[in-house]
Structures are given as structure tokens and as C-alpha cells.
């Protein structure tokens, strides 16, 4: 009788940008003969199943990944975009059921999102071993571990309000970040919400070095200095879904009809625009963006998820789609990795979430950076100040990015041969890292060995 596969529990924070890379890691582990229990919240579990049913493939859960779920502690009408409230309630709601699951299934390892590092308590309760997984850059984790010093030095107060304007750069090859753009200073406009998040971070930061390893969706060649500041760091990125037509990591159904549309466009011509799962535009800024894309005179593919804007009705969007038909295509949620790997894509207008940053880098696509909140400003600094693979978009004195600014920056980006060359160089480095013998490939084998010991 064959020995059972080693059994690992994977626990993401319940948001799109956290579920997806942990699902990609799960695919990798299953490919090395591990069995994975992937724990979503009940709310997101339902969304994942609906998104998979909505996909043209009609995909079921991936082989070897058991999709399980537990409540998140919020009521049916709870605002799950309120990260502070959602995050602060998760330990009380989830620790008990997780402990029960670990015991009943005799799970030996838990891989928990760094945002869920309270799960290290399971080690003391059950004897399970815990690895953490970072869905952000190593630089962001290093900044997080530096947070109490920033407060002690009076750069920030305990509501992450900036007390001293200065540039923070923890080492020479790391991104310089203005105090006002430190992730927790721009995570919410509410000081009370920021205070809740800061308290969670200060309370849980000591748990990070207790993990057996901190798995990072990055690679040695781009973040060597930052990785040295993260205890037990193990970079295995850039992670990518192995079967690009199906993924159990999406919370919205992917619209694959955009792929034949891309096939019909000229090589290196399309402006791809996507702002992730949290960015919100008001009506004026959204309309300015729409006008700016039209003004570029280039074909564009624009992902407009259902809750991206306030005050814009379906009628307006339908009229815009008709107006740009043949030139631009608007979809609800794009199969982003397949889009970025497509030869017709020229550049990526992005919020600079870490997954998008890694995917753009992996496919050699230049960035027009338009960060919204949290670590996205830090990632923008990497792209523009360290790697040299993109340009920043600037708002006017009203805080609005004008259509002329969009048109001019797209032209500047696509006319810059140096940016294109650097993007190609980093693409080669990323591909080398995950190929057999590369640094990330070898680190994945180390992780598998650790999980199977």
C-alpha cells in the first residue's frame, strides 16, 4: 500500500490578492506529491465556486487541492472590503475550527498568510509546524518589522499619521518610500481604522520570526537586500498558475473572450488596464480615465470589475463600450497572466499590487503606475526608482488624473527604449529564477523537503 501524501493546510487572508498566490503555491506543492487543504472563508469559498462555474472550462477544484471553508465571523451583510474590521475578527472566528481541522486530519504543516500570522498559535495548541507566506514584497515585510522603530523615532504615530516627512530606505537596493506612502499610512483615510491595523501588526510582528520559514512570492535577483531583513526568508517566485485557463484562486469569473480579441491586435499595440480587487474610482475620475484611454488612440483592454466605481451606471458603461467598439474592449475580470503574456500587449496601466507587479515583471511588460493604497506605493518605487521598468502617473491639484496626463504618459512610456530594454532584462531574470536550477526553483525544492520531513 502506497504511503499517504504529506498533508498541508494552506490559509490565505480572505482577499483576491491573497487567495490567488497561495493557490498558485498549492498547485506547485501538489505537483510535488503533497496533499493540500485550502481554507477559504465560507463567503469567499462560495465566490470561488461560482467563479469556476462561470469560467468557460467549467473547472472543478484542482486535483490534490481540497477546497474547505470556515466562517469569517462577519454577518451576511458585513463589509468585507473593510480590512481592519475583517482582519481583527478573524482569529476569534477561525482559530477554534482550524484547531479542530488540524487534529481531525492529523495535519503536520500549516502555511499561513503573513497577515494571518496569529495562526502560529496553532503550533502551541496542536504541535503542528507553521510556515508563513508573504503576498507582498520582501521590502514591505522588512518595513513592517521596522514599524515599531518608525513609531519610536516619531516618523509615524500609532494611527500611522505622519509626524515627520522623510524618505525611508532600509538599504541601498531597496525602494525609497516617503513617510506618507508607507503602507499603513495610506491603507485608510480613517485614523481609527489605521490604529486597529497598526495594533494588529505590532501585536503579531513578534510571531513572524517564530515561523519555520517565511515563503515569499519574489526572487533573489530583485530583492536580495530586502530578503536579508526577513527572518528565514525563502523566495519561490514569481508564482504563476500552471494551467492558465483554470484557477480556483479567482473570486470573479475570468472573461476569456478577450483573448481572441487580443489575437486580432497588432504586436505590441494594446494598452492593458487593470486595478486589482480593492481600487475604487469616483464618477469624475472614472470618466476621465475612460476619456484618457480613448484619447491615446491605441487599442486598449480595460478590466472594470463590478464594484470598481461609485456613481456610474450600467447605461453609461454600455454607451462607452459601444463608442469604443473595434478600438477598445471592456471586460469585468481578465485572465491577467494570459493577457500579460500576449504579444499584442504593449504596457500595463496598473495599481501596482504585488501580484500584478510580479506578473508584469515576469512577462517583461512596462508599467504605467497608478497606486491606490497600502503597499502599492512601495511597489511603484521598486518599478520606477529601482528596476526602471515604468513611469508614474500624476494627479492634478484637484487630485484628478486628467485624460491628457494619461495620453502623455502612455506615449512617454511606449517611446522609452531604455524602459523596454530593462523590462526584457528583468523578464529573463524572473524566468531563469523559476526554471530548473534557478534560485526560486531550488528554494521550492527546499520547501518541499521541509514539508515532507
Amino acid at each position: 500500500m502506497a504511503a499517504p501524501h504529506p498533508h498541508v493546510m494552506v490559509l490565505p487572508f480572505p482577499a483576491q490578492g491573497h487567495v490567488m498566490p497561495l493557490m498558485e503555491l498549492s498547485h506547485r506543492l501538489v505537483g510535488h506529491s503533497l496533499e493540500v487543504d485550502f481554507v477559504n472563508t465560507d463567503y469567499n469559498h462560495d465566490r470561488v465556486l461560482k467563479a469556476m462555474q462561470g469560467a468557460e472550462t467549467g473547472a472543478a477544484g484542482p486535483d490534490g487541492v481540497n477546497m474547505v471553508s470556515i466562517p469569517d465571523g462577519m454577518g451576511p451583510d458585513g463589509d468585507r472590503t473593510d480590512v481592519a474590521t475583517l482582519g481583527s475578527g478573524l482569529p476569534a472566528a477561525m482559530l477554534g475550527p482550524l484547531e479542530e481541522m488540524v487534529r481531525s486530519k492529523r495535519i503536520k504543516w500549516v502555511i499561513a498568510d503573513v497577515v494571518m500570522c496569529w495562526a502560529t498559535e496553532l503550533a502551541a495548541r496542536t504541535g503542528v509546524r507553521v510556515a508563513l507566506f508573504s503576498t507582498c514584497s520582501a521590502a514591505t515585510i522588512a518595513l513592517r518589522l521596522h514599524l515599531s522603530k518608525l513609531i519610536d523615532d516619531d516618523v509615524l504615530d500609532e494611527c500611522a499619521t505622519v509626524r515627520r516627512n522623510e524618505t525611508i530606505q532600509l538599504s541601498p537596493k531597496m525602494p525609497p518610500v516617503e513617510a506618507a506612502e508607507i503602507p499603513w499610512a495610506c491603507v485608510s483615510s480613517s485614523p481609527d481604522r489605521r490604529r486597529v491595523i497598526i495594533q494588529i501588526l505590532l501585536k503579531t510582528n513578534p510571531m513572524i520570526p517564530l515561523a519555520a520559514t517565511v515563503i515569499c512570492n519574489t526572487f533573489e535577483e530583485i530583492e536580495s537586500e530586502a530578503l536579508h531583513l526577513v527572518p528565514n526568508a525563502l523566495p519561490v517566485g514569481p508564482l504563476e498558475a500552471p494551467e492558465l485557463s483554470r484557477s480556483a484562486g479567482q473570486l470573479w469569473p475570468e472573461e476569456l473572450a478577450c483573448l481572441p480579441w487580443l489575437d486580432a491586435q497588432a504586436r505590441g499595440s494594446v494598452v492593458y488596464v487593470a486595478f486589482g480587487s480593492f481600487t475604487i474610482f469616483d464618477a469624475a475620475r472614472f470618466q476621465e480615465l475612460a476619456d484618457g484611454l480613448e484619447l491615446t488612440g491605441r487599442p486598449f483592454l480595460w478590466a472594470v470589475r463590478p464594484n470598481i466605481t461609485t456613481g456610474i451606471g450600467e447605461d453609461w458603461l454600455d454607451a462607452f463600450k459601444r463608442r469604443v467598439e473595434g478600438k477598445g474592449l471592456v471586460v469585468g475580470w481578465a485572465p491577467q497572466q494570459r493577457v500579460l503574456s500576449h504579444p499584442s500587449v504593449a504596457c500595463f496601466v496598473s495599481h501596482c499590487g504585488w501580484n500584478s507587479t510580479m506578473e508584469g515583471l515576469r512577462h517583461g511588460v512596462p508599467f504605467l503606475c497608478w497606486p491606490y493604497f497600502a503597499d502599492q506605493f512601495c511597489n511603484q518605487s521598486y518599478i520606477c526608482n529601482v528596476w526602471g521598468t515604468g513611469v508614474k502617473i500624476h494627479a492634478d491639484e484637484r487630485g484628478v488624473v486628467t485624460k491628457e496626463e494619461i495620453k502623455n504618459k502612455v506615449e512617454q512610456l511606449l517611446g522609452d527604449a531604455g524602459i523596454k530594454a530593462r523590462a526584457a532584462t528583468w523578464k529573463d531574470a524572473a524566468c531563469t529564477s523559476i526554471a530548473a536550477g534557478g534560485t526560486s526553483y531550488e528554494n521550492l525544492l527546499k520547501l518541499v523537503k521541509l514539508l515532507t520531513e
Side-chain angles (χ1 to χ4, degrees):
M1 186 174 159
H5 291 172
H7 202 154
V8 178
M9 176 192 284
V10 173
L11 180 67
F13 181 79
Q16 175 68 75
H18 295 251
V19 170
M20 188 184 69
L22 273 158
M23 179 55 73
E24 289 165 357
L25 178 68
S26 298
H27 278 287
R28 292 281 175 279
L29 297 179
V30 166
H32 286 277
S33 300
L34 280 83
E35 187 178 348
V36 173
D37 274 3
F38 196 91
V39 185
N40 278 310
T41 59
D42 291 345
Y43 180 81
N44 277 352
H45 182 72
D46 290 345
R47 290 181 67 192
V48 165
L49 294 184
K50 279 182 187 141
M52 289 197 315
Q53 285 160 4
E56 289 172 29
T57 49
D63 293 339
V65 178
N66 309 312
M67 306 287 283
V68 296
S69 72
I70 53 182
D72 60 12
M74 294 186 97
D77 301 323
D79 178 9
R80 288 166 174 86
T81 63
D82 179 350
V83 180
T85 304
L86 175 63
S88 56
L90 290 174
M94 298 183 86
L95 266 171
L98 288 171
E99 182 178 345
E100 201 173 299
M101 207 180 290
V102 166
R103 290 185 192 284
S104 65
K105 298 193 173 196
R106 297 199 171 114
I107 288 167
K108 297 284 185 260
W109 276 94
V110 173
I111 298 175
D113 198 319
V114 164
V115 182
M116 313 276 270
C117 60
W118 46 261
T120 54
E121 290 181 28
L122 289 167
R125 293 184 184 205
T126 67
V128 74
R129 296 190 73 190
V130 179
L132 294 176
F133 179 90
S134 171
T135 59
C136 57
S137 69
T140 300
I141 293 292
L143 268 176
R144 173 181 171 162
L145 294 170
H146 198 69
L147 187 57
S148 58
K149 186 169 189 326
L150 291 173
I151 293 169
D152 291 344
D153 291 349
D154 210 32
V155 176
L156 304 176
D157 68 14
E158 292 201 355
C159 296
T161 305
V162 176
R163 301 291 295 272
R164 256 200 1 248
N165 277 312
E166 59 180 64
T167 303
I168 317 300
Q169 190 174 21
L170 298 182
S171 73
K173 288 184 187 169
M174 285 174 66
V177 183
E178 299 308 312
E181 294 184 342
I182 288 170
W184 308 283
C186 49
V187 75
S188 171
S189 58
S190 158
D192 289 342
R193 277 196 185 134
R194 293 200 305 268
R195 180 191 289 276
V196 169
I197 290 167
I198 292 287
Q199 290 310 312
I200 292 171
L201 295 176
L202 293 175
K203 183 181 173 186
T204 55
N205 272 352
M207 298 175 181
I208 293 175
L210 301 178
T213 187
V214 180
I215 308 156
C216 300
N217 184 16
T218 187
F219 58 107
E220 184 70 39
E221 291 75 8
I222 53 162
E223 286 212 276
S224 57
E225 291 190 356
L227 285 160
H228 290 147
L229 300 177
V230 178
N232 307 317
L234 194 67
V236 299
L239 289 164
E240 199 155 60
E243 298 171 74
L244 291 174
S245 61
R246 49 175 281 191
S247 171
Q250 300 295 340
L251 303 183
W252 285 277
E254 294 178 328
E255 294 186 32
L256 301 182
C258 64
L259 298 173
W261 181 86
L262 284 173
D263 292 341
Q265 309 307 313
R267 187 179 184 89
S269 68
V270 175
V271 177
Y272 171 55
V273 189
F275 290 96
S277 55
F278 274 101
T279 305
I280 303 283
F281 285 89
D282 65 20
R285 288 173 175 81
F286 188 80
Q287 287 174 334
E288 202 74 21
L289 168 55
D291 292 343
L293 294 175
E294 205 174 351
L295 196 60
T296 65
R298 292 177 173 273
F300 63 86
L301 172 61
W302 184 14
V304 178
R305 63 165 210 279
N307 59 346
I308 197 170
T309 181
T310 52
I312 294 277
E314 284 297 317
D315 293 348
W316 186 93
L317 197 57
D318 288 341
F320 176 75
K321 287 177 185 174
R322 285 194 297 274
R323 193 166 85 228
V324 300
E325 197 169 354
K327 196 67 175 168
L329 181 66
V330 178
V331 297
W333 193 250
Q336 182 160 290
Q337 294 177 16
R338 298 179 77 182
V339 169
L340 290 170
S341 67
H342 199 285
S344 71
V345 170
C347 68
F348 185 9
V349 182
S350 173
H351 66 306
C352 305
W354 187 245
N355 294 317
S356 293
T357 300
M358 281 289 93
E359 289 162 9
L361 200 76
R362 156 86 177 77
H363 293 294
V365 181
F367 283 86
L368 181 51
C369 298
W370 196 329
Y372 176 66
F373 82 148
D375 64 327
Q376 295 160 12
F377 295 92
C378 183
N379 303 338
Q380 172 183 255
S381 183
Y382 254 145
I383 291 164
C384 298
N385 302 325
V386 181
W387 308 327
T389 56
V391 297
K392 296 179 186 181
I393 202 118
H394 291 289
D396 66 11
E397 64 283 351
R398 300 165 299 155
V400 174
V401 174
T402 64
K403 54 183 175 286
E404 293 82 11
E405 167 74 355
I406 294 163
K407 173 183 182 286
N408 294 341
K409 283 293 167 69
V410 167
E411 285 176 3
Q412 178 191 332
L413 180 64
L414 297 184
D416 192 320
I419 285 178
K420 282 183 188 167
R422 286 186 293 272
T425 300
W426 286 121
K427 173 184 177 175
D428 288 347
C431 293
T432 300
S433 77
I434 52 179
T439 53
S440 289
Y441 179 88
E442 293 299 324
N443 284 336
L444 182 69
L445 296 183
K446 282 184 197 167
L447 176 62
V448 169
K449 186 167 185 280
L450 183 67
L451 298 175
T452 52
E453 278 169 357

